[in-house]
Amino acid sequence: MAVASRLAVARVSPDGAGPAAAGRRRGRSAGFAAVGLLPAAAGRKGRRRGGAVAASPPTEEAVQMTEPLTKDDLVAYLASGCKPKENWRIGTEHEKFGFEVDTLRPIKYDQIRDILNGLAERFDWDKIMEEDNVIGLKQGKQSISLEPGGQFELSGAPLETLHQTCAEVNSHLYQVKAVGEEMGIGFLGLGFQPKWALSDIPIMPKGRYEIMRNYMPKVGTLGLDMMFRTCTVQVNLDFSSEKDMIRKFRAGLALQPIATAIFANSPFKEGKPNGFLSLRSHIWTDTDNNRAGMLPFVFDDSFGFEHYVDYALDVPMYFVYRNKKYIDCTGMSFRDFMQGKLPQVPGELPTLNDWENHLTTIFPEVRLKRYLEMRGADGGPWRRLCALPAFWVGLLYDEESLQSILDMTSDWTNEEREMLRRKVPVTGFKTPFRDGYVRHLAEEVLTLAKNGLERRGYKEVGFLREVEQVVSTGVTPAERLLNLYETKWQRNVDRVFEHLLY
């Protein structure tokens, strides 16, 4: 069977929709995948008010593979993301903490369920169900999902301009606020839960999170914090070819610590300063190093789609999804699965849906699927939700800016990149680098981003104003919050809930 027809067979699902409708784990990209980028995701039936879709994500195949998957199929899956520049789009995802306005306590699932039902009824979203629980919403090319501790995530549609991206963010925040306010619920734009202990965070009724919750303490000390107490913003971007993917991957990885500094916004933990400017970023250094980090092999001459497949094949699995249930496969590899060696599903072989689901459980600072995900920024207020995609689009969607970044970073060593990755969450712009500081790198990179946006011709440079203020003063958002905490707030972290309320 030809690879193309294998791809088509593997993407059939019971309701005729592609797996893009499925909810995914932390940082997954349902929204960006949901249109155009997944060939079989089309054909969605006419929506009905308050309906339900994807009865239990992720989707499963209605048609079985007639031949086992090969590594070539997995490589072809990634390569199928290549598209001409005129078809490049921008996908933005952002998470936020819900809280009770009167008590500041995290909201429980029952309250979240009511919000989701309210959004579905008032704003015509379709519900995503897992067993009897509503766990997300879908509307056209956008989806709303729940992270493990009840963080709300919007996975936005693939959009052409930053004006559209920011309009989408504003519309979403308006809807969530309209429903939440009536229930006494607010939403907070911050990278780490500032007040409540891990034991105070509710657990969402999603099968995959139960598997992760049991597994995380076995592979790192901070995985549960990552799941339950962090929020991020990320940007998903396209590539035209394998060579273009490699260039963007390298530029994105090298600059992820710069983005972490610019958007650092998680300085509090359990009511007081935590010693970091981006605790969220630091947490990823000891969550599960088999599936996170700076991926030094991306800078090897041999890197390409196949090399990433080899890496992903050996990343330990979390689960296999069968018969509307998550089956715990922690510790096994997808390579084992390819050989029919998973004891949990003896003799069974994977499909491309299994591969797609596995790719969503890998968490490096830049992640490759059929597009690239920039994953280094803390959650923040709405202006920064528009600024992050502007930053990356200006750098990676303009050839001149991209080449300048590659020239600037070409002689950075793996050790230097790793040093930035580990020190920036602590010292931000003040992190020394060669004969200067990260602030100097940020100034140079910001200029390239602005120039790249100018050349795009969509009058998008204004979206970088928030970043310009941060870089020009050399004061990160986290340091501004810490200054307020020590002065105006009189060391009362409760004030941040009002200050960064959406």
Side-chain angles (χ1 to χ4, degrees), residues 200-493:
D200 294 311
I201 309 299
I203 298 171
M204 296 301 104
K206 294 177 70 170
R208 65 186 295 164
Y209 295 159
E210 181 66 19
I211 292 170
M212 291 173 63
R213 188 162 65 99
N214 294 331
Y215 181 68
M216 284 296 184
K218 301 174 184 176
V219 291
T221 64
L222 301 175
L224 295 182
D225 276 331
M226 179 279 292
M227 290 179 65
F228 293 101
R229 294 203 283 181
T230 64
C231 281
T232 186
V233 185
Q234 71 180 52
V235 181
N236 306 325
L237 299 173
D238 286 315
F239 45 80
S240 61
S241 64
E242 183 172 49
K243 180 180 178 182
D244 188 44
M245 178 277 293
I246 294 168
R247 297 170 77 235
K248 288 173 176 168
F249 207 150
R250 289 173 177 170
L253 274 176
L255 294 187
Q256 242 16 254
I258 312 305
T260 296
I262 293 172
F263 293 90
N265 194 44
S266 47
F268 302 119
K269 178 182 178 180
E270 296 175 21
K272 56 183 185 292
N274 58 38
F276 294 87
L277 301 179
S278 177
L279 178 58
R280 182 210 61 84
S281 180
H282 168 72
I283 281 169
W284 279 108
T285 65
D286 195 16
T287 288
D288 181 352
N289 288 329
N290 286 319
R291 67 183 75 242
M294 292 290 281
L295 305 188
F297 64 82
V298 171
F299 297 88
D300 293 347
D301 290 342
S302 60
F303 179 68
F305 290 126
E306 183 177 3
H307 198 156
Y308 194 86
V309 166
D310 283 329
Y311 157 72
L313 281 171
D314 293 319
V315 171
M317 294 179 65
Y318 280 153
F319 60 81
V320 170
Y321 189 74
R322 292 292 183 272
N323 300 318
K324 296 183 169 35
K325 296 289 184 184
Y326 292 89
I327 301 169
D328 188 336
C329 296
T330 50
M332 304 301 293
S333 73
F334 206 89
R335 201 179 294 275
D336 296 327
F337 198 7
M338 295 276 284
Q339 298 168 5
K341 293 181 179 178
L342 290 192
Q344 298 87 344
V345 284
E348 192 160 340
L349 296 173
T351 66
L352 276 172
N353 271 17
D354 293 317
W355 177 239
E356 180 185 56
N357 291 331
H358 179 57
L359 291 177
T360 70
T361 69
I362 302 173
F363 314 129
E365 290 296 285
V366 176
R367 178 162 66 184
L368 174 63
K369 293 197 280 193
R370 295 206 279 187
Y371 43 88
L372 287 165
E373 302 177 354
M374 306 294 128
R375 296 170 47 84
D378 285 357
W382 76 268
R383 288 185 186 278
R384 263 176 259 152
L385 302 183
C386 301
L388 183 71
F391 177 79
W392 286 115
V393 166
L395 293 172
L396 302 187
Y397 273 7
D398 176 75
E399 178 58 33
E400 191 173 326
S401 292
L402 174 58
Q403 187 58 52
S404 295
I405 292 298
L406 292 169
D407 292 342
M408 177 198 306
T409 60
S410 63
D411 65 344
W412 292 9
T413 65
N414 287 333
E415 292 73 22
E416 285 176 319
R417 288 190 294 269
E418 185 62 27
M419 179 277 294
L420 289 172
R421 169 72 189 86
R422 291 187 173 270
K423 291 190 176 180
V424 163
V426 184
T427 49
F429 291 135
K430 299 181 182 68
T431 306
F433 185 78
R434 297 190 175 179
D435 57 352
Y437 293 90
V438 163
R439 180 181 176 182
H440 302 132
L441 294 175
E443 290 170 344
E444 190 171 352
V445 168
L446 178 58
T447 297
L448 292 174
K450 289 168 64 177
N451 291 343
L453 290 181
E454 289 279 9
R455 284 188 288 268
R456 263 171 63 84
Y458 289 115
K459 300 187 184 301
E460 298 166 318
V461 177
F463 292 113
L464 287 175
R465 286 195 193 102
E466 182 82 1
V467 170
E468 284 186 274
Q469 181 185 4
V470 170
V471 173
S472 65
T473 59
V475 179
T476 64
E479 288 166 309
R480 281 187 267 168
L481 293 177
L482 288 167
N483 181 61
L484 286 169
Y485 172 83
E486 294 290 348
T487 57
K488 186 177 179 181
W489 297 352
Q490 299 181 350
R491 300 179 66 83
N492 180 3
V493 81

Side-chain angles (χ1 to χ4, degrees), residues 19-276:
R24 296 180 173 89
R25 92 101 247 150
R26 312 278 296 140
R28 93 267 171 275
S29 302
F32 205 58
V35 298
L37 309 186
L38 299 184
R44 187 167 176 267
K45 298 173 185 176
R47 289 179 46 249
R48 58 266 172 242
R49 188 172 182 81
V53 296
S56 189
T59 54
E60 299 176 84
E61 288 71 29
V63 180
Q64 292 300 312
M65 302 288 288
T66 58
E67 295 181 28
L69 278 180
T70 67
K71 192 171 89 167
D72 285 345
D73 294 331
L74 307 184
V75 173
Y77 171 84
L78 296 178
S80 68
C82 296
K83 53 182 61 67
K85 185 170 184 176
E86 58 267 24
N87 293 339
W88 291 355
R89 295 295 181 263
I90 307 158
T92 306
E93 304 181 29
H94 66 90
E95 301 165 354
K96 50 205 163 292
F97 296 107
F99 65 95
E100 296 176 347
V101 173
D102 289 343
T103 67
L104 306 184
R105 294 193 68 85
I107 52 178
K108 299 180 175 67
Y109 173 72
D110 288 353
Q111 295 165 299
I112 290 169
R113 178 197 60 208
D114 291 344
I115 292 174
L116 293 174
N117 285 333
L119 288 168
E121 181 178 351
R122 188 179 307 186
F123 298 106
D124 202 20
W125 290 77
D126 288 338
K127 299 175 188 178
I128 300 173
M129 308 296 293
E130 184 170 322
E131 297 181 348
D132 295 328
N133 297 312
V134 56
I135 58 163
L137 301 172
K138 183 165 171 57
Q139 186 181 89
K141 303 166 187 179
Q142 306 175 73
S143 64
I144 295 171
S145 63
L146 298 184
E147 298 309 312
Q151 305 96 315
F152 256 54
E153 180 178 12
L154 173 72
S155 293
L159 300 169
E160 188 173 358
T161 74
L162 294 164
H163 300 285
Q164 295 168 342
T165 293
C166 206
E168 176 189 66
V169 167
N170 289 338
S171 174
H172 169 71
L173 293 177
Y174 164 77
Q175 292 183 14
V176 168
K177 185 175 181 179
V179 174
E181 276 185 345
E182 295 178 0
M183 301 171 55
I185 289 169
F187 288 89
L188 177 68
L190 204 62
F192 189 85
Q193 163 57 246
K195 183 176 176 68
W196 301 101
L198 194 58
S199 58
D200 294 311
I201 309 299
I203 298 171
M204 296 301 104
K206 294 177 70 170
R208 65 186 295 164
Y209 295 159
E210 181 66 19
I211 292 170
M212 291 173 63
R213 188 162 65 99
N214 294 331
Y215 181 68
M216 284 296 184
K218 301 174 184 176
V219 291
T221 64
L222 301 175
L224 295 182
D225 276 331
M226 179 279 292
M227 290 179 65
F228 293 101
R229 294 203 283 181
T230 64
C231 281
T232 186
V233 185
Q234 71 180 52
V235 181
N236 306 325
L237 299 173
D238 286 315
F239 45 80
S240 61
S241 64
E242 183 172 49
K243 180 180 178 182
D244 188 44
M245 178 277 293
I246 294 168
R247 297 170 77 235
K248 288 173 176 168
F249 207 150
R250 289 173 177 170
L253 274 176
L255 294 187
Q256 242 16 254
I258 312 305
T260 296
I262 293 172
F263 293 90
N265 194 44
S266 47
F268 302 119
K269 178 182 178 180
E270 296 175 21
K272 56 183 185 292
N274 58 38
F276 294 87

